[in-house]
Amino acid sequence: MLRQQDVGHRIVVRRIVGIREGRPQFSDALGELVELSETHLTLATAQGPLRVPVAQVHRAKRVPPTRRPTAAAVVALERAADEAWPAPTRGRLGDWLLRSAEGWTGRANSALPIGDPDRPLAAAVDAVERWYAELGQPALINTPLPLAAPVGAELDSRGWGTRPPTLVQTAPLPLLASTPATGQADGWASAVVELTTAPSDEWLAIAAGRKGGLPDAARHVLTAVDQVRFAHVYADKALVAVGRGTVTGQGRWLGLSLIEVVPAARRQGLARRVIHELVSWGASSGATHAFLQVEQRNAAAVALYQRLGLVTHHTYLTRVASN
């Protein structure tokens, strides 16, 4: 059977889907294991997320990867993502990054364990725990998989918890740029998309609503990037959709974040328009690829990004120190 060390790897699962004439009927599923608990496992498949109760699993095993990104590619993308979401308080353990932003978002308040921490793994985790304890914050570690699987195994042995898996998705900019930005209902056809170098107060209010507040450190995370644009979509002079784009990773990567549409304006194609405008800006700035990070359980967003041509590059788990 599977173990926590298999999270982040490609697996095949044979599951029981019914009984016919007293015999079990089976179906096979292939995908990346993004979550494993005592009651269920979750795969990221080509058709979307698949959640399988453990009681229905007849057999499951790891299989060889196909077109898995190299460790160097994962490291480069994680570094670009860190540049795009810069925590104001930072430290280092060798190559590992330590980040804090007054508790605003897991990404800006977690250690990134890629590279050599210049000490044994157990001592490195001890140092992470001390660093966050001195700040009065819970210790968090983001573990890109399978690159950081050894770190995950160490955290498992210490009883660290796990937040829902996050998919790091990518696409070449020409693919995203070729996706039409139309399709919204007639009532929203006149919505205006504006890109600015700083967020408006209304933009920040929408971001605060999504992220549960906006401390001073959050403004640093949002704005302290050399190349950044904030998308504002107005309809009848009201702000109805927002988004944020950054260019990092030596100019290669357009990072998409905080794509949000107010409830009354959803399902009108506005998120697609925001992405289209940010992609156009990113391409004009020299970026060649886009990335975004989305929780695997956010089925609506995952489906939208899949339709746009984004695919999962790798996953990460945010691990939380036990009390």
Side-chain angles (χ1 to χ4, degrees):
M1 283 298 291
L2 300 172
R3 301 174 297 168
Q4 287 296 327
Q5 291 91 325
D6 296 311
V7 173
H9 291 272
R10 190 164 174 257
I11 67 167
V12 62
V13 176
R14 173 157 291 186
R15 57 196 175 107
I16 302 171
V17 294
I19 303 293
R20 180 179 298 173
E21 297 179 352
R23 295 185 177 183
Q25 303 296 301
F26 300 103
S27 177
D28 292 340
L30 180 67
E32 184 177 292
L33 180 63
V34 295
E35 184 180 16
L36 177 64
S37 72
E38 295 181 358
T39 59
H40 69 276
L41 57 86
T42 303
L43 289 81
T45 73
Q47 293 74 39
L50 176 64
R51 189 172 187 270
V52 181
V54 169
Q56 295 179 7
V57 175
H58 176 68
R59 186 178 297 124
K61 64 178 182 179
R62 191 188 298 189
V63 297
T66 60
R67 296 181 295 176
R68 179 177 295 281
T70 64
V74 173
V75 169
L77 181 48
E78 286 291 331
R79 297 288 190 198
D82 174 67
E83 293 174 35
W85 202 254
T89 302
R90 304 174 71 86
R92 297 191 75 98
L93 291 175
D95 295 328
W96 286 21
L97 300 178
L98 305 175
R99 306 172 293 190
S100 174
E102 299 179 33
W104 193 74
T105 76
R107 277 179 285 168
N109 291 274
S110 57
L112 182 61
I114 53 178
D116 183 358
D118 282 345
R119 65 205 71 196
L121 179 55
V125 175
D126 289 341
V128 170
E129 292 177 337
R130 288 194 300 270
W131 194 82
Y132 284 101
E134 290 172 0
L135 292 175
Q137 293 184 216
L140 304 179
I141 297 181
N142 273 8
T143 55
L145 299 172
L147 181 67
V151 178
E154 172 67 22
L155 302 181
D156 288 341
S157 71
R158 296 173 181 236
W160 280 47
T162 304
R163 289 183 178 175
T166 297
L167 310 180
V168 181
Q169 300 196 309
T170 64
L173 283 197
L175 176 63
L176 284 178
S178 67
T179 303
T182 58
Q184 65 272 10
D186 291 341
W188 299 96
S190 61
V192 177
V193 184
E194 297 180 7
L195 297 186
T196 62
T197 57
S200 67
D201 290 341
E202 294 85 359
W203 194 104
L204 292 171
I206 290 177
R210 177 174 175 177
K211 294 295 187 180
L214 210 67
D216 289 341
R219 295 174 183 264
H220 182 280
V221 172
L222 293 172
T223 61
V225 182
D226 288 341
Q227 296 191 76
V228 61
R229 291 294 184 274
F230 297 87
H232 301 67
V233 182
Y234 292 94
D236 295 328
K237 299 183 179 180
L239 186 62
V240 294
V242 299
R244 176 178 175 270
T246 56
V247 174
T248 59
Q250 298 182 325
R252 178 187 180 191
W253 288 102
L254 167 69
L256 299 170
S257 59
L258 288 170
I259 310 298
E260 183 75 8
V261 180
V262 301
R266 289 175 183 166
R267 302 186 182 278
Q268 309 298 332
L270 297 182
R272 187 185 294 258
R273 290 193 65 187
V274 167
I275 292 171
H276 184 81
E277 293 298 326
L278 290 172
V279 164
S280 296
W281 167 75
S284 70
S285 300
T288 59
H289 291 73
F291 79 90
L292 56 79
Q293 297 165 317
V294 57
E295 282 196 1
Q296 180 269 331
R297 64 182 178 179
N298 188 347
V302 170
L304 169 63
Y305 301 145
Q306 187 175 43
R307 291 194 298 271
L308 293 176
L310 287 142
V311 298
T312 298
H313 184 272
H314 64 278
T315 64
Y316 71 77
L317 296 175
T318 298
R319 305 299 303 271
V320 184
S322 58
N323 294 326

